[in-house]
Amino acid sequence: MKYVYLVAAGALAAPMALAQSADGRGWYGGVGYEYLVVDNDAINDRELDTLSITGGMNLNKSFGAEVTAATGIGDDSVNYGNYAAKTSLNHRIDLMGVARVPIAERLNLTGKLGVSNYEFQTKGWVQPASDVSARGFRNMDNGYAIAGEVGAEYALTKDLTVDAGYTYYDGIDTDTEFDTLKVGIKKKF
């Protein structure tokens, strides 16, 4: 099911091949890798690898909007003798406003602000005592978060850009906080 989100984001990333105008307007799409660390009452400092797909539109050279869909490509396991668990990211979908500040001919600093929908899953077992059989459990942590990112993008060519950034997520109605370090590549259409 989580790959449905990636396919949907891919469809948004390339709605139609519009040429970039001289003032920077136009569509773009990209892929990225993210290193994610999540922390809440149930999940403490779990480190996850994620894959993301991004689609967006530049309104001009300075401002735009984008949507990103991400899913985990691995899980983080913990084992404490009588307790074992695996945590994974089922999905994350971000809707962000984007601001760009040029600092060199091909280099921009970027800032993003928006909202995210996420779902983490933790599965495992616990054995309360040696004479009691182990019990399995499953915990779903989902909700919405405010998201903010700082980063940079470098234009390899007129239409191809590499980017990197740090994003912080703070749960709106939960105690979940997580952040990502990401690298990616984007193509203008």
Side-chain angles (χ1 to χ4, degrees), residues 15 25 27 89 103:
R25 290 182 291 147
W27 296 93
L89 174 67
I103 59 170

Side-chain angles (χ1 to χ4, degrees), residues 4-25:
V4 171
Y5 293 110
L6 290 175
V7 172
L12 290 172
M16 54 184 126
L18 297 176
Q20 288 284 319
S21 63
D23 61 358
R25 290 182 291 147

Side-chain angles (χ1 to χ4, degrees), residues 39-40 118 141-145 170-178:
D39 185 28
N40 69 18
Y118 64 89
D141 177 16
N142 53 33
Y144 292 90
D170 190 4
I172 295 172
D173 54 354
T174 68
D175 66 344
T176 300
E177 297 175 354
F178 54 102

Side-chain angles (χ1 to χ4, degrees), residues 100-147:
R100 291 177 185 82
V101 177
I103 59 170
E105 182 179 343
R106 294 180 173 218
L107 183 64
N108 292 329
L109 293 180
T110 58
K112 300 177 185 179
L113 186 61
V115 65
S116 178
N117 175 263
Y118 64 89
E119 181 177 88
F120 294 100
Q121 175 177 272
T122 301
K123 293 191 287 188
W125 59 267
V126 63
Q127 185 172 10
S130 60
D131 60 342
V132 177
S133 62
R135 296 182 184 151
F137 66 88
R138 181 175 168 212
N139 179 39
M140 301 297 280
D141 177 16
N142 53 33
Y144 292 90
I146 298 295

